[in-house]
């Protein structure tokens, strides 16, 4: 039971608009550091492998970060409850900073993969804690106007990462892909140290070690399955079934541990909250649909349209502008009216429309058409992502703010991993079938009766004209299927949001009477 003084300390502190903007600047800098540093590496991977070797370990450079980021996200929220938001935010930033420096000094692939895994731990904190901190400093009714800027960070980093990566590879050492964001991280640390003044009440609570172990273990085994399935081992293999079974066992034990824990990482009563459950499911679907498009669109632009990595990154600018404008305008409207439900519904329908339009692209489609299609996609994402977290935060007590935010962020990250794995499998299978079919129709032999490895976009462009024509058409048909597969996922997310009860956004929130009050089902 909290004392009256503790309850007052946990009530939302009063911040002026200027103070909120200063805090937001630090949060955005830290998020940019994490997101750009994560996306910038993709462009440099061929060069890194050429220097360090270890082609067979290439997938782990990306998978290690995604794995540890997803697994650690739920833990950061609870740690911030126990030890304070500011301390944990700065800790995650320092973990990310020093692991980035270490990655740049790596002498072999093993060192690089280890550093990237530690990077992911820091990235997990930087993914969840900014939303939690924003929830602490701004009440739900006012949060929309600021959350829009956080949503826009994603779009900016989507373009900035590949562009920086291309510039660094062309003009500097690949090691600067890991060091380039160090100054940003330092500035973000200093800004947060100076402007973030949150009251913190240290609670007499124990760390939920069993819950942490089983949640992390279940997530890790599931991420290993999604990251390596179809690459390191076949989907229909003992590895797939073994990792899947182990993941289910771990998650089952996590449920038992959380029910028994005095201060659980993911409180069981949250799963009796109608809004938390539905926003988590919707966020998982949003993550799957979003990354299914964003991961594979550059491949269409580079392989089919013959664009360089830098040019394909610039080609995503219409989507970024759509996301930026949409998230900011929607955020301001939500703050003005207190109504939020219509935006993620319409937003996910726009995402579905954008994916449907992208599924109609052909080899000779105009880049203007591509730009229009991805603008629709960006507008939909900007209207959806931040409002789901806002709805979840608005439906719980302040003492559940961190667990709720990190929980929803966790499901979105998990959805991203599921989307990348599922759409990657669709692309590979469809591409193989189309290559064999088109090559046979064109009387072009394929050795071994299977689709050949395509190689790099530049290598594909130097193939003989008849074979090049077959490959471009086959890849276009495969990518069409990927985008089309995302349409029902986005529509299902819109239906899930429709099931939500629109709780008016609070302009103020009373301090809780207990350390962890139960949240009634809606």
């Amino acid at each position: 039971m909290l004392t009256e003084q503790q309850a007052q300390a946990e009530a939302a502190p009063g911040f002026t608009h200027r103070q909120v903007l200063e805090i937001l600047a630090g949060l955005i800098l830290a998020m940019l550091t994490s997101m750009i540093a994560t996306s910038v590496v993709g462009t440099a991977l061929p060069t890194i492998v050429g220097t360090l070797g270890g082609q067979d370990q290439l997938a782990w450079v990306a998978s290690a970060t995604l794995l540890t980021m997803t697994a650690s996200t739920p833990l950061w929220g609870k740690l911030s409850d126990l030890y304070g938001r500011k301390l944990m935010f700065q800790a995650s930033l320092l973990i990310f900073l020093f692991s980035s420096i270490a990655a740049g000094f790596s002498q072999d692939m093993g060192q690089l993969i280890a550093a990237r895994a530690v990077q992911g731990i820091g990235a997990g904190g930087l993914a969840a804690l900014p939303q939690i901190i924003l929830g602490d400093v701004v009440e739900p009714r006012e949060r929309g106007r600021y959350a829009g800027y956080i949503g826009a960070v994603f779009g900016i980093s989507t373009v900035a990462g590949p562009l920086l990566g291309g510039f660094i590879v062309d003009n500097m050492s690949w090691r600067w892909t890991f060091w380039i964001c160090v100054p940003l991280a330092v500035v973000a640390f200093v800004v947060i140290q100076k402007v973030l003044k949150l009251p913190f009440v240290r609670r007499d609570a124990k760390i939920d070690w069993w819950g942490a172990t089983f949640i992390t273990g279940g997530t890790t085994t599931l991420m290993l399955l999604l990251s390596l399935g179809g690459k390191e081992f076949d989907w229909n293999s003992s590895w797939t079934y073994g990792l899947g079974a182990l993941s289910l066992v771990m998650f089952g034990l996590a449920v038992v541990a959380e029910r028994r824990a005095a201060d659980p990482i993911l409180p069981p009563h949250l799963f009796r909250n109608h809004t938390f459950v539905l926003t988590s499911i919707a966020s998982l679907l949003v993550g799957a649909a979003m990354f299914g498009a964003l991961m594979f669109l550059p491949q269409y632009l580079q392989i089919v349209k013959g664009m360089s990595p830098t040019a394909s990154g610039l080609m995503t600018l219409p989507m970024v502008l759509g996301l930026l404008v949409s998230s900011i305008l929607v955020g301001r409207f939500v703050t003005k009216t207190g109504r939020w439900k219509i935006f993620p519904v319409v937003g996910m329908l726009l995402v579905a429309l954008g994916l449907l339009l992208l599924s109609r692209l052909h080899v000779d489609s105009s880049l203007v058409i591509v730009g229009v299609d991805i603008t629709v996609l960006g507008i939909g994402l900007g209207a959806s992502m931040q409002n789901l977290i806002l709805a979840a935060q608005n439906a719980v007590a302040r003492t559940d703010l961190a667990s709720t935010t990190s929980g929803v962020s966790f499901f979105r990250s998990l959805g991203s991993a599921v989307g990348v794995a599922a759409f990657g499998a669709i692309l590979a299978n469809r591409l193989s079938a189309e290559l064999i079919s088109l090559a046979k129709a064109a009387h072009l032999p394929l050795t071994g009766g299977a689709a050949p490895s395509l190689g790099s976009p530049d290598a594909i462009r130097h193939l003989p004209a008849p074979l090049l024509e077959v490959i471009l058409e086959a890849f276009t048909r495969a990518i069409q299927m990927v985008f089309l597969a995302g349409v029902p996922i986005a529509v299902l997310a819109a239906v899930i949001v429709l099931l939500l009860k629109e709780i008016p956004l609070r302009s103020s929130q009373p301090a809780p009477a207990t350390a962890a009050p139960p949240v009634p089902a809606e």
Side-chain angles (χ1 to χ4, degrees), residues 445-470:
L446 285 179
T447 59
S453 174
L454 293 184
S456 68
D458 186 60
I460 292 172
R461 285 286 159 183
H462 288 85
L463 291 173
L467 182 57
L468 175 61
E469 183 179 342
V470 165

Side-chain angles (χ1 to χ4, degrees), residues 2 17 66 91 140 148 246 392 400 452 467 469:
L2 296 181
H17 177 61
L66 184 61
L246 182 58
D400 284 326
L467 182 57
E469 183 179 342

Side-chain angles (χ1 to χ4, degrees), residues 416-445:
S416 302
V418 172
V420 170
F423 292 143
I426 292 172
L427 179 66
N429 292 333
R430 183 74 175 186
L431 178 59
S432 178
E434 292 291 347
L435 275 174
I436 293 172
S437 174
L438 291 172
K440 183 178 180 179
H443 305 291
L444 295 174

